[in-house]
Amino acid sequence: MGTAERREREKEQRRNDIIDAAEAVFFSKGIANSTMDEIADVSELSKGTLYLYFKNKEDLYLAIILRGLAILQAKFEETLKAHESGIEKTEAIGRAFFEFAKTHPDYFQAMLYFESADLPYDDESGYAAECLSQSNHTFEICARAVQAGIDDGTIRPDLDPMKTAMTLYGVSVGLLQIVSTKGQMIRECHNLNPDELIEYFFELIGNTLRTQIDE
Amino acid sequence: MGTAERREREKEQRRNDIIDAAEAVFFSKGIANSTMDEIADVSELSKGTLYLYFKNKEDLYLAIILRGLAILQAKFEETLKAHESGIEKTEAIGRAFFEFAKTHPDYFQAMLYFESADLPYDDESGYAAECLSQSNHTFEICARAVQAGIDDGTIRPDLDPMKTAMTLYGVSVGLLQIVSTKGQMIRECHNLNPDELIEYFFELIGNTLRTQIDE
DNA sequence: TATATGACTGACCATCAGTCATAATGTTAC
DNA sequence: GTAACATTATGACTGATGGTCAGTCATATA
């Protein structure tokens, strides 16, 4: 009989329930101001139980980040299919990333934590290693877009797809981070709409990737 | 009599001594794993005294960040003077930033915290507002370099100096952050030297800023 | 019905940021 | 010199919170 299988399913369900509760708490007050006691309350479980399913507070947060990465990946894959030329695919993925930051600000905020924190990637038992692996997979999707552009001649052939993907991802994160933490200052001291800065960024790098016609 | 002035000097000295001790502790184990008790020990003061000079733990950390910002600013100012053309000034400042991250990894790490954390910028009594102000001043130095390039014709005249400075700063921080937190992965999974990625970045954006000869 | 399993509990512990009553030190006035 | 006052320093204490563990209980197995 499938007792063990059922148990496994139920366990998976519990795990998801806990992540749901954790999202509600973490997203409403940030990781620093959230307590495991409150998450236990919201999930209607005891604090001890949380620790049966997750190593520690950070690990639970990383489980949320993994959800965010999955959403982002799906979006990227979809974007990759929806466009014809490689340069279009690449720019569309870039825009999809900024779009993601806007439509899923909570997941994006969590992902900024993932990008800036020093995590125990060597510990195989936690979520950090899995996050890193998925993050790598995300890079690969971006790299495929660049590769497509090189293949169809819309992107400079001298570019390295993986290097380009990682660089673009890194700089995008940085720009979004500055917009996210200093947005108010940008608006008030410089009378700039943060979105303008992002559009400006696209203009700046847009021509960098494209094949130069005049050579 | 200069009693009050002497007092003020001594107080400033104490404050600096505390920051020195805090640097030793924070730099050796990161903000999360450092305790105010240990900083009190190292500074040979009681914990209570620390709180006479600094609002809280984060504020003490921000005082360190302010030192980092001062070093960076000095480096930028110096770089600005050391080069002739505007485009050279701008690229040199970019390289000076990456150089700073290498020669002062501890200050740079602290500055990454400043870039990613949500800080109480409205609280005038703490260091956060001062950090933001100095960070703004840093932008302005960069913007001066870009402006110089526009003026002397080495940088595209259609660029906005301040927007360009902020964008370049943001993307640089992002790239350095990814190199800093995922450097090992970049090395191991992709057989890349993180420095290559940074050089790649300069190549990518280099031509973006320069005045196009063929138009 | 009796035994075994393992999910769950919540009281408990250790740590640590931040506070406050008290003490020590320095300054001024006489 | 010393009394009165002001400033600075102390460290024991508190409250919050991440994490643990001995024990409970519902359910599955024999």
PDB file of all heavy atoms in Angstrom, chain B residues 3 6-7 34-36 47 51 56-57, chain C residues 15-20 25-28:
ATOM      1  N   THR B   3      38.833  74.669  27.263  1.00  0.00           N
ATOM      2  CA  THR B   3      38.398  73.401  27.846  1.00  0.00           C
ATOM      3  C   THR B   3      37.376  72.696  26.964  1.00  0.00           C
ATOM      4  O   THR B   3      37.492  71.512  26.684  1.00  0.00           O
ATOM      5  CB  THR B   3      37.769  73.638  29.232  1.00  0.00           C
ATOM      6  OG1 THR B   3      38.629  74.497  29.961  1.00  0.00           O
ATOM      7  CG2 THR B   3      37.585  72.331  29.951  1.00  0.00           C
ATOM      8  N   ARG B   6      38.946  71.301  23.874  1.00  0.00           N
ATOM      9  CA  ARG B   6      39.733  70.103  24.154  1.00  0.00           C
ATOM     10  C   ARG B   6      38.795  68.912  24.344  1.00  0.00           C
ATOM     11  O   ARG B   6      39.007  67.828  23.818  1.00  0.00           O
ATOM     12  CB  ARG B   6      40.575  70.307  25.411  1.00  0.00           C
ATOM     13  CG  ARG B   6      41.712  69.340  25.536  1.00  0.00           C
ATOM     14  CD  ARG B   6      42.075  69.109  26.984  1.00  0.00           C
ATOM     15  NE  ARG B   6      40.958  68.581  27.750  1.00  0.00           N
ATOM     16  CZ  ARG B   6      40.774  68.821  29.041  1.00  0.00           C
ATOM     17  NH1 ARG B   6      41.586  69.602  29.691  1.00  0.00           N
ATOM     18  NH2 ARG B   6      39.733  68.286  29.662  1.00  0.00           N
ATOM     19  N   ARG B   7      37.739  69.161  25.114  1.00  0.00           N
ATOM     20  CA  ARG B   7      36.728  68.119  25.331  1.00  0.00           C
ATOM     21  C   ARG B   7      36.215  67.573  24.008  1.00  0.00           C
ATOM     22  O   ARG B   7      36.100  66.385  23.801  1.00  0.00           O
ATOM     23  CB  ARG B   7      35.549  68.720  26.118  1.00  0.00           C
ATOM     24  CG  ARG B   7      35.737  68.730  27.604  1.00  0.00           C
ATOM     25  CD  ARG B   7      34.893  67.624  28.216  1.00  0.00           C
ATOM     26  NE  ARG B   7      35.216  67.417  29.615  1.00  0.00           N
ATOM     27  CZ  ARG B   7      34.487  67.895  30.603  1.00  0.00           C
ATOM     28  NH1 ARG B   7      33.422  68.607  30.352  1.00  0.00           N
ATOM     29  NH2 ARG B   7      34.816  67.628  31.845  1.00  0.00           N
ATOM     30  N   SER B  34      29.309  39.800  14.205  1.00  0.00           N
ATOM     31  CA  SER B  34      30.026  40.612  15.177  1.00  0.00           C
ATOM     32  C   SER B  34      29.068  41.032  16.291  1.00  0.00           C
ATOM     33  O   SER B  34      27.894  41.244  16.048  1.00  0.00           O
ATOM     34  CB  SER B  34      30.581  41.865  14.500  1.00  0.00           C
ATOM     35  OG  SER B  34      31.465  41.520  13.462  1.00  0.00           O
ATOM     36  N   THR B  35      29.599  41.132  17.485  1.00  0.00           N
ATOM     37  CA  THR B  35      28.748  41.556  18.605  1.00  0.00           C
ATOM     38  C   THR B  35      29.282  42.853  19.198  1.00  0.00           C
ATOM     39  O   THR B  35      30.492  43.119  19.159  1.00  0.00           O
ATOM     40  CB  THR B  35      28.706  40.488  19.722  1.00  0.00           C
ATOM     41  OG1 THR B  35      29.968  40.442  20.370  1.00  0.00           O
ATOM     42  CG2 THR B  35      28.341  39.138  19.157  1.00  0.00           C
ATOM     43  N   MET B  36      28.373  43.609  19.735  1.00  0.00           N
ATOM     44  CA  MET B  36      28.753  44.860  20.378  1.00  0.00           C
ATOM     45  C   MET B  36      29.630  44.586  21.598  1.00  0.00           C
ATOM     46  O   MET B  36      30.484  45.403  21.941  1.00  0.00           O
ATOM     47  CB  MET B  36      27.503  45.644  20.777  1.00  0.00           C
ATOM     48  CG  MET B  36      26.712  46.152  19.588  1.00  0.00           C
ATOM     49  SD  MET B  36      27.635  47.284  18.525  1.00  0.00           S
ATOM     50  CE  MET B  36      27.281  48.857  19.291  1.00  0.00           C
ATOM     51  N   LYS B  47      30.240  48.399  26.976  1.00  0.00           N
ATOM     52  CA  LYS B  47      29.243  48.431  25.914  1.00  0.00           C
ATOM     53  C   LYS B  47      28.397  49.689  25.982  1.00  0.00           C
ATOM     54  O   LYS B  47      28.092  50.313  24.956  1.00  0.00           O
ATOM     55  CB  LYS B  47      28.357  47.192  25.982  1.00  0.00           C
ATOM     56  CG  LYS B  47      27.417  47.085  24.807  1.00  0.00           C
ATOM     57  CD  LYS B  47      26.924  45.675  24.547  1.00  0.00           C
ATOM     58  CE  LYS B  47      26.070  45.150  25.673  1.00  0.00           C
ATOM     59  NZ  LYS B  47      25.258  44.006  25.177  1.00  0.00           N
ATOM     60  N   TYR B  51      27.256  53.049  23.106  1.00  0.00           N
ATOM     61  CA  TYR B  51      25.945  53.619  22.800  1.00  0.00           C
ATOM     62  C   TYR B  51      25.853  55.103  23.137  1.00  0.00           C
ATOM     63  O   TYR B  51      24.875  55.755  22.823  1.00  0.00           O
ATOM     64  CB  TYR B  51      24.846  52.806  23.492  1.00  0.00           C
ATOM     65  CG  TYR B  51      24.600  51.494  22.791  1.00  0.00           C
ATOM     66  CD1 TYR B  51      25.296  50.351  23.149  1.00  0.00           C
ATOM     67  CD2 TYR B  51      23.709  51.425  21.725  1.00  0.00           C
ATOM     68  CE1 TYR B  51      25.099  49.150  22.480  1.00  0.00           C
ATOM     69  CE2 TYR B  51      23.500  50.228  21.051  1.00  0.00           C
ATOM     70  CZ  TYR B  51      24.202  49.103  21.435  1.00  0.00           C
ATOM     71  OH  TYR B  51      23.992  47.924  20.763  1.00  0.00           O
ATOM     72  N   ASN B  56      23.246  52.877  17.366  1.00  0.00           N
ATOM     73  CA  ASN B  56      23.075  51.432  17.433  1.00  0.00           C
ATOM     74  C   ASN B  56      24.157  50.754  16.580  1.00  0.00           C
ATOM     75  O   ASN B  56      25.006  51.416  16.009  1.00  0.00           O
ATOM     76  CB  ASN B  56      21.677  51.035  16.965  1.00  0.00           C
ATOM     77  CG  ASN B  56      21.350  51.641  15.612  1.00  0.00           C
ATOM     78  OD1 ASN B  56      22.201  51.687  14.738  1.00  0.00           O
ATOM     79  ND2 ASN B  56      20.128  52.110  15.451  1.00  0.00           N
ATOM     80  N   LYS B  57      24.079  49.459  16.531  1.00  0.00           N
ATOM     81  CA  LYS B  57      25.102  48.669  15.840  1.00  0.00           C
ATOM     82  C   LYS B  57      25.231  49.087  14.373  1.00  0.00           C
ATOM     83  O   LYS B  57      26.332  49.287  13.863  1.00  0.00           O
ATOM     84  CB  LYS B  57      24.730  47.193  15.946  1.00  0.00           C
ATOM     85  CG  LYS B  57      25.745  46.230  15.371  1.00  0.00           C
ATOM     86  CD  LYS B  57      25.214  44.799  15.493  1.00  0.00           C
ATOM     87  CE  LYS B  57      26.176  43.798  14.840  1.00  0.00           C
ATOM     88  NZ  LYS B  57      25.627  42.422  14.884  1.00  0.00           N
TER      89      LYS B  57
ATOM     90  P    DT C  15      25.839  30.972  24.304  1.00  0.00           P
ATOM     91  OP1  DT C  15      27.021  30.461  23.583  1.00  0.00           O
ATOM     92  OP2  DT C  15      25.928  31.419  25.712  1.00  0.00           O
ATOM     93  O5'  DT C  15      25.236  32.163  23.443  1.00  0.00           O
ATOM     94  C5'  DT C  15      24.665  31.880  22.166  1.00  0.00           C
ATOM     95  C4'  DT C  15      24.112  33.147  21.587  1.00  0.00           C
ATOM     96  O4'  DT C  15      22.849  33.472  22.219  1.00  0.00           O
ATOM     97  C3'  DT C  15      25.022  34.366  21.779  1.00  0.00           C
ATOM     98  O3'  DT C  15      25.177  34.970  20.504  1.00  0.00           O
ATOM     99  C2'  DT C  15      24.267  35.243  22.763  1.00  0.00           C
ATOM    100  C1'  DT C  15      22.812  34.853  22.475  1.00  0.00           C
ATOM    101  N1   DT C  15      21.835  35.043  23.577  1.00  0.00           N
ATOM    102  C2   DT C  15      20.625  35.636  23.294  1.00  0.00           C
ATOM    103  O2   DT C  15      20.323  36.025  22.182  1.00  0.00           O
ATOM    104  N3   DT C  15      19.778  35.755  24.358  1.00  0.00           N
ATOM    105  C4   DT C  15      20.013  35.352  25.664  1.00  0.00           C
ATOM    106  O4   DT C  15      19.170  35.517  26.532  1.00  0.00           O
ATOM    107  C5   DT C  15      21.298  34.742  25.899  1.00  0.00           C
ATOM    108  C7   DT C  15      21.655  34.274  27.269  1.00  0.00           C
ATOM    109  C6   DT C  15      22.140  34.614  24.855  1.00  0.00           C
ATOM    110  P    DC C  16      26.346  36.041  20.252  1.00  0.00           P
ATOM    111  OP1  DC C  16      26.833  35.843  18.886  1.00  0.00           O
ATOM    112  OP2  DC C  16      27.270  36.059  21.401  1.00  0.00           O
ATOM    113  O5'  DC C  16      25.521  37.396  20.267  1.00  0.00           O
ATOM    114  C5'  DC C  16      24.299  37.476  19.518  1.00  0.00           C
ATOM    115  C4'  DC C  16      23.538  38.704  19.917  1.00  0.00           C
ATOM    116  O4'  DC C  16      22.758  38.431  21.104  1.00  0.00           O
ATOM    117  C3'  DC C  16      24.446  39.894  20.267  1.00  0.00           C
ATOM    118  O3'  DC C  16      23.910  41.037  19.653  1.00  0.00           O
ATOM    119  C2'  DC C  16      24.317  39.978  21.783  1.00  0.00           C
ATOM    120  C1'  DC C  16      22.863  39.540  21.961  1.00  0.00           C
ATOM    121  N1   DC C  16      22.495  39.116  23.326  1.00  0.00           N
ATOM    122  C2   DC C  16      21.191  39.367  23.786  1.00  0.00           C
ATOM    123  O2   DC C  16      20.389  39.919  23.037  1.00  0.00           O
ATOM    124  N3   DC C  16      20.854  39.000  25.042  1.00  0.00           N
ATOM    125  C4   DC C  16      21.761  38.392  25.811  1.00  0.00           C
ATOM    126  N4   DC C  16      21.386  38.044  27.045  1.00  0.00           N
ATOM    127  C5   DC C  16      23.090  38.123  25.360  1.00  0.00           C
ATOM    128  C6   DC C  16      23.410  38.502  24.109  1.00  0.00           C
ATOM    129  P    DA C  17      24.878  42.220  19.150  1.00  0.00           P
ATOM    130  OP1  DA C  17      25.367  41.879  17.808  1.00  0.00           O
ATOM    131  OP2  DA C  17      25.817  42.529  20.229  1.00  0.00           O
ATOM    132  O5'  DA C  17      23.829  43.401  18.999  1.00  0.00           O
ATOM    133  C5'  DA C  17      22.675  43.197  18.201  1.00  0.00           C
ATOM    134  C4'  DA C  17      21.521  44.007  18.749  1.00  0.00           C
ATOM    135  O4'  DA C  17      21.119  43.473  20.029  1.00  0.00           O
ATOM    136  C3'  DA C  17      21.836  45.481  18.971  1.00  0.00           C
ATOM    137  O3'  DA C  17      20.696  46.246  18.595  1.00  0.00           O
ATOM    138  C2'  DA C  17      22.097  45.557  20.471  1.00  0.00           C
ATOM    139  C1'  DA C  17      21.197  44.470  21.032  1.00  0.00           C
ATOM    140  N9   DA C  17      21.710  43.800  22.228  1.00  0.00           N
ATOM    141  C8   DA C  17      22.945  43.241  22.386  1.00  0.00           C
ATOM    142  N7   DA C  17      23.131  42.689  23.566  1.00  0.00           N
ATOM    143  C5   DA C  17      21.933  42.894  24.218  1.00  0.00           C
ATOM    144  C6   DA C  17      21.479  42.541  25.514  1.00  0.00           C
ATOM    145  N6   DA C  17      22.225  41.877  26.408  1.00  0.00           N
ATOM    146  N1   DA C  17      20.228  42.891  25.862  1.00  0.00           N
ATOM    147  C2   DA C  17      19.478  43.555  24.962  1.00  0.00           C
ATOM    148  N3   DA C  17      19.786  43.935  23.721  1.00  0.00           N
ATOM    149  C4   DA C  17      21.047  43.568  23.411  1.00  0.00           C
ATOM    150  P    DG C  18      20.806  47.824  18.484  1.00  0.00           P
ATOM    151  OP1  DG C  18      19.780  48.274  17.526  1.00  0.00           O
ATOM    152  OP2  DG C  18      22.211  48.196  18.293  1.00  0.00           O
ATOM    153  O5'  DG C  18      20.334  48.294  19.924  1.00  0.00           O
ATOM    154  C5'  DG C  18      19.003  47.975  20.338  1.00  0.00           C
ATOM    155  C4'  DG C  18      18.838  48.264  21.809  1.00  0.00           C
ATOM    156  O4'  DG C  18      19.607  47.324  22.593  1.00  0.00           O
ATOM    157  C3'  DG C  18      19.294  49.658  22.279  1.00  0.00           C
ATOM    158  O3'  DG C  18      18.211  50.224  23.000  1.00  0.00           O
ATOM    159  C2'  DG C  18      20.484  49.358  23.179  1.00  0.00           C
ATOM    160  C1'  DG C  18      20.078  47.997  23.727  1.00  0.00           C
ATOM    161  N9   DG C  18      21.146  47.217  24.328  1.00  0.00           N
ATOM    162  C8   DG C  18      22.364  46.875  23.782  1.00  0.00           C
ATOM    163  N7   DG C  18      23.106  46.152  24.590  1.00  0.00           N
ATOM    164  C5   DG C  18      22.336  46.018  25.732  1.00  0.00           C
ATOM    165  C6   DG C  18      22.608  45.344  26.941  1.00  0.00           C
ATOM    166  O6   DG C  18      23.615  44.708  27.263  1.00  0.00           O
ATOM    167  N1   DG C  18      21.548  45.450  27.846  1.00  0.00           N
ATOM    168  C2   DG C  18      20.380  46.131  27.609  1.00  0.00           C
ATOM    169  N2   DG C  18      19.472  46.142  28.587  1.00  0.00           N
ATOM    170  N3   DG C  18      20.101  46.753  26.476  1.00  0.00           N
ATOM    171  C4   DG C  18      21.124  46.666  25.583  1.00  0.00           C
ATOM    172  P    DT C  19      18.286  51.709  23.642  1.00  0.00           P
ATOM    173  OP1  DT C  19      17.074  52.416  23.213  1.00  0.00           O
ATOM    174  OP2  DT C  19      19.622  52.279  23.401  1.00  0.00           O
ATOM    175  O5'  DT C  19      18.146  51.416  25.200  1.00  0.00           O
ATOM    176  C5'  DT C  19      17.144  50.510  25.643  1.00  0.00           C
ATOM    177  C4'  DT C  19      17.137  50.451  27.165  1.00  0.00           C
ATOM    178  O4'  DT C  19      18.270  49.662  27.631  1.00  0.00           O
ATOM    179  C3'  DT C  19      17.261  51.802  27.863  1.00  0.00           C
ATOM    180  O3'  DT C  19      16.369  51.773  28.975  1.00  0.00           O
ATOM    181  C2'  DT C  19      18.733  51.848  28.307  1.00  0.00           C
ATOM    182  C1'  DT C  19      18.995  50.378  28.612  1.00  0.00           C
ATOM    183  N1   DT C  19      20.399  49.905  28.500  1.00  0.00           N
ATOM    184  C2   DT C  19      20.931  49.182  29.534  1.00  0.00           C
ATOM    185  O2   DT C  19      20.327  48.916  30.555  1.00  0.00           O
ATOM    186  N3   DT C  19      22.232  48.754  29.329  1.00  0.00           N
ATOM    187  C4   DT C  19      23.013  48.987  28.212  1.00  0.00           C
ATOM    188  O4   DT C  19      24.161  48.550  28.152  1.00  0.00           O
ATOM    189  C5   DT C  19      22.394  49.758  27.168  1.00  0.00           C
ATOM    190  C7   DT C  19      23.166  50.060  25.921  1.00  0.00           C
ATOM    191  C6   DT C  19      21.133  50.176  27.359  1.00  0.00           C
ATOM    192  P    DC C  20      15.863  53.149  29.635  1.00  0.00           P
ATOM    193  OP1  DC C  20      14.383  53.103  29.695  1.00  0.00           O
ATOM    194  OP2  DC C  20      16.574  54.271  28.993  1.00  0.00           O
ATOM    195  O5'  DC C  20      16.411  53.005  31.129  1.00  0.00           O
ATOM    196  C5'  DC C  20      16.541  51.706  31.730  1.00  0.00           C
ATOM    197  C4'  DC C  20      17.410  51.826  32.975  1.00  0.00           C
ATOM    198  O4'  DC C  20      18.771  51.442  32.648  1.00  0.00           O
ATOM    199  C3'  DC C  20      17.499  53.247  33.546  1.00  0.00           C
ATOM    200  O3'  DC C  20      17.576  53.153  34.958  1.00  0.00           O
ATOM    201  C2'  DC C  20      18.812  53.766  32.973  1.00  0.00           C
ATOM    202  C1'  DC C  20      19.654  52.490  33.017  1.00  0.00           C
ATOM    203  N1   DC C  20      20.784  52.475  32.052  1.00  0.00           N
ATOM    204  C2   DC C  20      21.857  51.614  32.294  1.00  0.00           C
ATOM    205  O2   DC C  20      21.849  50.903  33.291  1.00  0.00           O
ATOM    206  N3   DC C  20      22.881  51.592  31.407  1.00  0.00           N
ATOM    207  C4   DC C  20      22.844  52.382  30.327  1.00  0.00           C
ATOM    208  N4   DC C  20      23.870  52.318  29.479  1.00  0.00           N
ATOM    209  C5   DC C  20      21.752  53.256  30.067  1.00  0.00           C
ATOM    210  C6   DC C  20      20.753  53.272  30.951  1.00  0.00           C
ATOM    211  P    DT C  25      38.281  56.936  38.607  1.00  0.00           P
ATOM    212  OP1  DT C  25      39.248  55.934  38.103  1.00  0.00           O
ATOM    213  OP2  DT C  25      38.341  57.442  40.003  1.00  0.00           O
ATOM    214  O5'  DT C  25      38.344  58.187  37.626  1.00  0.00           O
ATOM    215  C5'  DT C  25      37.605  58.165  36.391  1.00  0.00           C
ATOM    216  C4'  DT C  25      37.296  59.565  35.972  1.00  0.00           C
ATOM    217  O4'  DT C  25      36.074  60.026  36.596  1.00  0.00           O
ATOM    218  C3'  DT C  25      38.371  60.595  36.366  1.00  0.00           C
ATOM    219  O3'  DT C  25      38.930  61.141  35.185  1.00  0.00           O
ATOM    220  C2'  DT C  25      37.636  61.635  37.195  1.00  0.00           C
ATOM    221  C1'  DT C  25      36.191  61.417  36.761  1.00  0.00           C
ATOM    222  N1   DT C  25      35.146  61.824  37.731  1.00  0.00           N
ATOM    223  C2   DT C  25      34.169  62.717  37.317  1.00  0.00           C
ATOM    224  O2   DT C  25      34.125  63.173  36.208  1.00  0.00           O
ATOM    225  N3   DT C  25      33.245  63.041  38.277  1.00  0.00           N
ATOM    226  C4   DT C  25      33.192  62.580  39.585  1.00  0.00           C
ATOM    227  O4   DT C  25      32.307  62.947  40.340  1.00  0.00           O
ATOM    228  C5   DT C  25      34.239  61.664  39.947  1.00  0.00           C
ATOM    229  C7   DT C  25      34.275  61.123  41.337  1.00  0.00           C
ATOM    230  C6   DT C  25      35.163  61.328  39.019  1.00  0.00           C
ATOM    231  P    DG C  26      40.192  62.171  35.262  1.00  0.00           P
ATOM    232  OP1  DG C  26      41.095  61.898  34.126  1.00  0.00           O
ATOM    233  OP2  DG C  26      40.706  62.216  36.649  1.00  0.00           O
ATOM    234  O5'  DG C  26      39.431  63.534  34.954  1.00  0.00           O
ATOM    235  C5'  DG C  26      38.574  63.624  33.825  1.00  0.00           C
ATOM    236  C4'  DG C  26      37.748  64.883  33.912  1.00  0.00           C
ATOM    237  O4'  DG C  26      36.833  64.784  35.025  1.00  0.00           O
ATOM    238  C3'  DG C  26      38.554  66.171  34.125  1.00  0.00           C
ATOM    239  O3'  DG C  26      38.096  67.126  33.186  1.00  0.00           O
ATOM    240  C2'  DG C  26      38.234  66.573  35.558  1.00  0.00           C
ATOM    241  C1'  DG C  26      36.821  66.021  35.710  1.00  0.00           C
ATOM    242  N9   DG C  26      36.381  65.761  37.085  1.00  0.00           N
ATOM    243  C8   DG C  26      36.956  64.931  38.006  1.00  0.00           C
ATOM    244  N7   DG C  26      36.309  64.892  39.143  1.00  0.00           N
ATOM    245  C5   DG C  26      35.227  65.746  38.942  1.00  0.00           C
ATOM    246  C6   DG C  26      34.168  66.102  39.820  1.00  0.00           C
ATOM    247  O6   DG C  26      33.978  65.732  40.976  1.00  0.00           O
ATOM    248  N1   DG C  26      33.298  66.997  39.220  1.00  0.00           N
ATOM    249  C2   DG C  26      33.423  67.492  37.941  1.00  0.00           C
ATOM    250  N2   DG C  26      32.482  68.343  37.531  1.00  0.00           N
ATOM    251  N3   DG C  26      34.395  67.154  37.112  1.00  0.00           N
ATOM    252  C4   DG C  26      35.268  66.280  37.672  1.00  0.00           C
ATOM    253  P    DT C  27      38.950  68.515  33.015  1.00  0.00           P
ATOM    254  OP1  DT C  27      39.063  68.787  31.562  1.00  0.00           O
ATOM    255  OP2  DT C  27      40.162  68.491  33.869  1.00  0.00           O
ATOM    256  O5'  DT C  27      37.923  69.558  33.615  1.00  0.00           O
ATOM    257  C5'  DT C  27      36.564  69.539  33.177  1.00  0.00           C
ATOM    258  C4'  DT C  27      35.760  70.538  33.959  1.00  0.00           C
ATOM    259  O4'  DT C  27      35.441  70.017  35.277  1.00  0.00           O
ATOM    260  C3'  DT C  27      36.446  71.890  34.188  1.00  0.00           C
ATOM    261  O3'  DT C  27      35.548  72.913  33.758  1.00  0.00           O
ATOM    262  C2'  DT C  27      36.706  71.928  35.696  1.00  0.00           C
ATOM    263  C1'  DT C  27      35.570  71.058  36.231  1.00  0.00           C
ATOM    264  N1   DT C  27      35.795  70.392  37.533  1.00  0.00           N
ATOM    265  C2   DT C  27      34.855  70.568  38.534  1.00  0.00           C
ATOM    266  O2   DT C  27      33.858  71.237  38.412  1.00  0.00           O
ATOM    267  N3   DT C  27      35.144  69.897  39.706  1.00  0.00           N
ATOM    268  C4   DT C  27      36.234  69.108  39.968  1.00  0.00           C
ATOM    269  O4   DT C  27      36.374  68.567  41.056  1.00  0.00           O
ATOM    270  C5   DT C  27      37.176  68.970  38.893  1.00  0.00           C
ATOM    271  C7   DT C  27      38.407  68.139  39.074  1.00  0.00           C
ATOM    272  C6   DT C  27      36.921  69.617  37.733  1.00  0.00           C
ATOM    273  P    DT C  28      36.120  74.428  33.554  1.00  0.00           P
ATOM    274  OP1  DT C  28      35.640  74.952  32.261  1.00  0.00           O
ATOM    275  OP2  DT C  28      37.562  74.468  33.888  1.00  0.00           O
ATOM    276  O5'  DT C  28      35.330  75.182  34.703  1.00  0.00           O
ATOM    277  C5'  DT C  28      33.931  74.948  34.865  1.00  0.00           C
ATOM    278  C4'  DT C  28      33.480  75.420  36.222  1.00  0.00           C
ATOM    279  O4'  DT C  28      33.925  74.506  37.254  1.00  0.00           O
ATOM    280  C3'  DT C  28      34.007  76.807  36.629  1.00  0.00           C
ATOM    281  O3'  DT C  28      32.891  77.635  36.942  1.00  0.00           O
ATOM    282  C2'  DT C  28      34.901  76.541  37.838  1.00  0.00           C
ATOM    283  C1'  DT C  28      34.288  75.247  38.395  1.00  0.00           C
ATOM    284  N1   DT C  28      35.200  74.395  39.207  1.00  0.00           N
ATOM    285  C2   DT C  28      34.772  73.952  40.438  1.00  0.00           C
ATOM    286  O2   DT C  28      33.698  74.224  40.917  1.00  0.00           O
ATOM    287  N3   DT C  28      35.679  73.154  41.105  1.00  0.00           N
ATOM    288  C4   DT C  28      36.925  72.778  40.666  1.00  0.00           C
ATOM    289  O4   DT C  28      37.645  72.070  41.355  1.00  0.00           O
ATOM    290  C5   DT C  28      37.314  73.280  39.371  1.00  0.00           C
ATOM    291  C7   DT C  28      38.665  72.944  38.822  1.00  0.00           C
ATOM    292  C6   DT C  28      36.445  74.060  38.694  1.00  0.00           C
TER     293       DT C  28
END
